[in-house]
Amino acid sequence: MTDLERMAIRHNNSTDKLENSISDNANLIKIYREKGWLTSDQNVLNLLKSGYKQFELNTANRILSQNLNKVFFNNCPKCNQLSRTPYARQCRFCGHNWHNVTVAQFKLNNSFQITGRDFFLLGQIVKGAVKVGQFIDLTMLGLNKKPKIAAIEFALKRQDGKVWEDIGLGTNELTEEDKEYLKSIGSFGTPFDIINER
């Protein structure tokens, strides 16, 4: 959200609290203004002029339109209803189960690209087995993409006298913007899924 949208939420929440308050509102309003919980900024008030529900819808639509590749809805592959959580693999509406789509989990340590080669995600396989032709589900990282694994290589790493091998999952299906985004993340503590279908 933008700073104005965050301020609109604070302003709305504070207004609701003041309406339900039984104490002297004049003193509370003064305190709320001093704390920055209420505003007289017309730009913020314009966001709320059609009501809070409309503000929420407008904000959600703006976020979706500006971040289409980074917003992910985990819909059931059978009935297309929204799942309860981003990680759910069973539909609460039709009961369809798609746990079998996940074949492995991968923990990202970093990513890079050498000129003329695939883009590689380096890390460790936490569970399962990975093969060329499977897909890397990047939705957990904030990218609504599932690129195909084009290569699997090993990367020998050394640091502070310790030596270890990372697995490199190579793909050629990401945009330059996607690659820069993944490089900026660096390591990611939560393992993400490797799946056998898009």
Side-chain angles (χ1 to χ4, degrees):
M1 286 189 286
T2 66
D3 290 341
L4 290 178
E5 289 165 342
R6 281 192 285 277
M7 185 61 221
I9 291 172
R10 273 196 307 273
H11 181 84
N12 184 73
N13 291 345
S14 298
T15 303
D16 286 348
K17 286 179 185 176
L18 288 170
E19 286 176 2
N20 296 323
S21 173
I22 56 172
S23 59
D24 179 21
N25 277 358
N27 284 336
L28 281 177
I29 289 171
K30 181 181 175 194
I31 292 169
Y32 276 38
R33 287 201 187 279
E34 289 171 359
K35 297 277 188 186
W37 299 335
L38 285 176
T39 185
S40 55
D41 184 337
Q42 198 57 48
N43 293 323
V44 173
L45 299 176
N46 285 342
L47 292 173
L48 296 166
K49 70 181 175 189
S50 298
Y52 190 73
K53 288 289 180 199
Q54 189 59 48
F55 161 75
E56 284 181 322
L57 289 171
N58 292 342
T59 301
N61 286 330
R62 182 198 59 75
I63 290 169
L64 282 173
S65 67
Q66 291 178 355
N67 301 286
L68 194 55
N69 289 333
K70 293 181 182 166
V71 176
F72 164 68
F73 293 106
N74 184 16
N75 292 333
C76 171
K78 186 173 182 183
C79 71
N80 206 34
Q81 292 287 333
L82 185 63
S83 298
R84 191 174 302 272
T85 71
Y87 315 111
R89 294 290 187 258
Q90 184 166 354
C91 182
R92 62 184 164 154
F93 298 101
C94 73
H96 178 66
N97 177 330
W98 63 98
H99 286 96
N100 62 342
V101 172
T102 301
V103 293
Q105 289 193 316
F106 187 81
K107 184 174 178 276
L108 180 68
N109 292 336
N110 64 351
S111 50
F112 74 94
Q113 182 167 19
I114 298 173
T115 305
R117 303 273 323 270
D118 290 334
F119 182 78
F120 281 90
L121 298 155
L122 291 180
Q124 301 294 317
I125 297 170
V126 177
K127 182 170 106 178
V130 178
K131 298 180 197 169
V132 171
Q134 293 170 336
F135 301 92
I136 307 166
D137 188 349
L138 297 175
T139 52
M140 181 109 78
L141 298 175
L143 282 178
N144 192 11
K145 302 244 173 133
K146 297 174 185 171
K148 190 175 198 174
I149 299 172
I152 300 174
E153 297 185 15
F154 294 97
L156 188 62
K157 301 193 80 176
R158 292 183 183 149
Q159 185 176 5
D160 300 327
K162 296 178 183 173
V163 179
W164 72 94
E165 275 188 338
D166 273 346
I167 305 270
L169 304 180
T171 184
N172 52 19
E173 297 184 358
L174 296 172
T175 67
E176 290 304 317
E177 183 183 345
D178 296 339
K179 294 173 190 176
E180 289 305 314
Y181 174 73
L182 289 170
K183 286 181 199 174
S184 73
I185 289 175
S187 67
F188 191 75
T190 305
F192 53 87
D193 293 339
I194 306 298
I195 56 177
N196 59 13
E197 62 184 59
R198 274 189 223 214

